Amino acid sequence: IDFSGSKLQGKVPRSLAHCTELEILDLSNNLIDDTFPLWLGDLTYLQVLILRSNNFYGAIGSSKIKFELPNLQIIDLSHNGFTGDLPSKYFQNWNAMKFFDVNKMKYMNTIIEVRRNNDSWGDGYWYTMNITNKGVNTEYQEILNVFTVIDLSSNKFEGLIPEFIGVSILIYVSV
C-alpha cells in the first residue's frame, strides 16, 4: 500500500494489522505523529516498510514484543525523531536480508486478478520505490528481490552499530 505524500495525520491506522498478506507499506512524507507501530511485526509477509519523513518519536522496541518480519528486505525509518539504542535484536531476525539464492533472483511484484462471473482478468504490478542517499533521491522502477536496505539516518539513535550488521546487511546510518 502506497500512502506516500498523502498528508496523513495522527497515528498509524491499527486496522492495517488486518492486512495480513501486506507486502509493501509506504507511509513516507506524511504528518504521522506516533511511536513505532510494533504491531506491524504481525505482518509476516511484509517485505518493504517505509516510514521516512514523518513525526515518529521515541524508542523502538520492547523486550515483551516479537518483531520478526522474516520477509523484510527494505526498511526506511529516516528523518523522524526516533531515540534510544538501535533495535539490534530485531535486525537479527530479518533473515530475508541475509540469505538469498541468486538462482531465484527476480523483480518484486504482485499479480492483481479480477474475477467477474465466469471471466477473469489479471495483470502484474511491479513494486517501485524512492531511496534518498546523501541527499540524492533515486527512484527504482523495479526492485530486485535481493535488494536490501536499512536506512535509519536523521534520527536520534544512540549506541554502537552491532558488528553483525556490517557483515550481512547494507545499512545507511548517519547523523
Side-chain angles (χ1 to χ4, degrees), residues 63-102:
S63 59
K64 299 175 184 170
I65 296 178
K66 278 188 356 184
F67 190 74
E68 293 186 5
L69 296 176
N71 292 301
L72 191 68
Q73 293 176 233
I74 297 167
I75 185 167
D76 183 348
L77 306 180
S78 65
H79 300 278
N80 280 290
F82 291 118
T83 58
D85 291 334
L86 289 173
S88 59
K89 67 179 180 179
Y90 298 137
F91 299 161
Q92 293 176 18
N93 295 322
W94 298 342
N95 291 326
M97 292 186 183
K98 300 177 207 174
F99 309 109
F100 57 86
D101 184 348
V102 176

Side-chain angles (χ1 to χ4, degrees), residues 36-62:
F36 188 83
L38 285 170
W39 50 264
L40 289 173
D42 294 336
L43 302 177
T44 57
Y45 291 99
L46 196 63
Q47 297 173 32
V48 177
L49 175 60
I50 303 175
L51 303 179
R52 175 184 60 241
S53 298
N54 278 284
N55 297 314
F56 284 98
Y57 59 89
I60 296 176
S62 168

Side-chain angles (χ1 to χ4, degrees), residues 24 107-111 123-128 141-143:
I24 291 186
Y107 288 103
M108 296 170 76
N109 68 339
T110 192
I111 303 297
D123 196 7
Y125 173 77
W126 281 259
Y127 299 148
T128 64
Q141 291 295 321
E142 296 175 326
I143 307 166

